Amino acid sequence: MSAARAVGLLLGVLADGAVTHPARERPVAAFTRAARAVESRIYADHPLPGAVHAGALTGTAVALGLLAERATRHRPVLQAAGTAVATWLVLGGTRVATDGAQLARDLETGRLDGARELLAGWDSRRTADLDVIGLSRVSVETVAEHTADQVVAPLAWGAVAGVPGLLGARAVGVLRTVASARDPRYRRFGLATARLDELVQLLPTRAAAALTVAGAPVVGGSAGAAWRAWRRDTVLHPSPNAGRVEAAFAGALEVRLGGRAAYPHGVAELPVLGDGRNPDAGHVTRAVELSRVVGWLAGGASALLALVLGARRRSRRRAR
């Protein structure tokens, strides 16, 4: 099982970079529509309906994964193929790179309205008053965050729990977008989703930061600065996860991120991450390159983790 899972994860990572057929977006889009449909029926300004919403939809995704795993339990080739397809469907590495590259082009050519429109689908911050530096800062932060959320987290949970982990981690990420606690309407309804997302992202976010440190030299960045920013600048961050990989990206690219952020519900003063210069369009391009490197490293690390965990399970069974 462990070898099949490892092979499937690697094949899925390869497919994410090589096969960008529109059909891969349909399951995530269908899940998003289902989440919004359920939310419209049970919404109330209270945490309990939100908990039902998060539990039912995440549980459904995990259950589908369990069925897929059970159907291929004693067929390694089919299990590898199923894991590869599930990995390909949930990973967002190519999408992050494509949108990030478009953001860099828009900023480089002065198409700030295009950059603002693209960022609106990625982040809930208000960008109407931001200049090139401000938009570049948000772009780098968003590339970093989505790398952790849409690449590292599914791979980490896929290594630990196979297809159920892949589908469950991606489902939680989608639900966080649908019922964001930063939106006043979902402050109470989205509480369970926010807490579940924090739990799911707790270790993957730190793994993403570590992989950012390791991958920084590949894009001409500083591994030492990435390490220092990650360990130093996230202590005062209000989220247990959000600033970790952003700080590592800031240090790796030797720029400053964080600071004042305007959301629809108000202004947040976030810690400054990194101690370099202000970012520009060129740094967004380098953030995309770093995101790709982190994705490849995460693919290799997840396959290795799947093999190690599988070997430990076999050792415990023999010991019994």
Side-chain angles (χ1 to χ4, degrees):
M1 177 183 291
S2 58
R5 181 175 293 174
V7 170
L9 290 169
L10 287 175
L11 289 176
V13 171
L14 290 171
D16 177 53
V19 184
T20 57
H21 194 280
R24 69 177 299 192
E25 305 291 338
R26 291 173 189 165
V28 174
F31 184 82
T32 302
R33 289 194 297 271
R36 294 193 184 281
V38 173
E39 179 262 320
S40 68
R41 291 179 178 274
I42 69 171
Y43 174 82
D45 188 20
H46 192 276
L48 182 58
V52 172
H53 182 258
L57 288 160
T58 303
T60 298
V62 171
L64 290 173
L66 287 170
L67 288 174
E69 289 264 300
R70 182 176 293 276
T72 60
R73 177 182 297 176
H74 302 296
R75 302 174 181 178
V77 174
L78 288 181
Q79 186 181 56
T83 302
V85 171
T87 304
W88 176 66
L89 289 174
V90 304
L91 283 192
T94 296
R95 182 67 179 270
V96 171
T98 300
D99 287 353
Q102 183 61 54
L103 280 169
R105 285 192 295 270
D106 287 345
L107 293 169
E108 186 71 39
T109 58
R111 294 186 64 253
L112 302 189
D113 287 341
R116 291 187 180 102
E117 182 178 355
L118 186 52
L119 281 171
W122 268 22
D123 193 276
S124 60
R125 276 175 281 196
R126 295 202 305 263
T127 58
D129 298 328
L130 295 181
D131 57 8
V132 172
I133 292 175
L135 290 169
S136 297
R137 174 173 59 83
V138 176
S139 297
V140 173
E141 290 174 0
T142 305
V143 168
E145 183 179 354
H146 280 67
T147 300
D149 180 40
Q150 298 184 20
V151 181
V152 179
L155 286 172
W157 283 104
V160 172
V163 177
L166 286 162
L167 299 186
R170 190 70 175 99
V172 172
V174 172
L175 290 175
R176 185 197 61 189
T177 302
V178 171
S180 173
R182 288 176 174 170
D183 186 332
R185 170 179 166 83
Y186 297 115
R187 191 163 296 160
R188 285 159 59 82
F189 181 86
L191 187 62
T193 297
R195 295 295 175 266
L196 181 60
D197 180 68
E198 288 177 357
L199 180 62
V200 168
Q201 292 288 339
L202 193 65
L203 294 180
T205 303
R206 287 150 180 79
L211 294 174
T212 301
V213 173
V218 180
V219 298
S222 171
W227 170 259
R228 287 191 298 272
W230 170 27
R231 305 309 300 167
R232 178 193 64 205
D233 296 338
T234 57
V235 175
L236 299 178
H237 203 282
S239 168
N241 301 319
R244 272 61 184 173
V245 71
E246 293 176 14
F249 264 64
L253 301 175
E254 298 177 284
V255 297
R256 282 179 295 172
L257 303 176
R260 188 180 180 87
Y263 294 95
H265 65 277
V267 175
E269 294 290 346
L270 301 175
V272 174
L273 309 174
D275 51 14
R277 55 177 288 190
N278 288 320
D280 56 25
H283 292 107
V284 179
T285 299
R286 290 180 63 206
V288 171
E289 295 170 353
L290 183 55
S291 174
R292 289 186 182 277
V293 171
V294 170
W296 290 117
L297 291 175
S302 66
L304 180 60
L305 178 60
L307 289 173
V308 170
L309 292 176
R312 290 185 63 182
R313 284 192 292 268
R314 289 194 299 272
S315 177
R316 284 197 296 267
R317 283 198 296 267
R318 285 196 296 267
R320 292 171 186 171

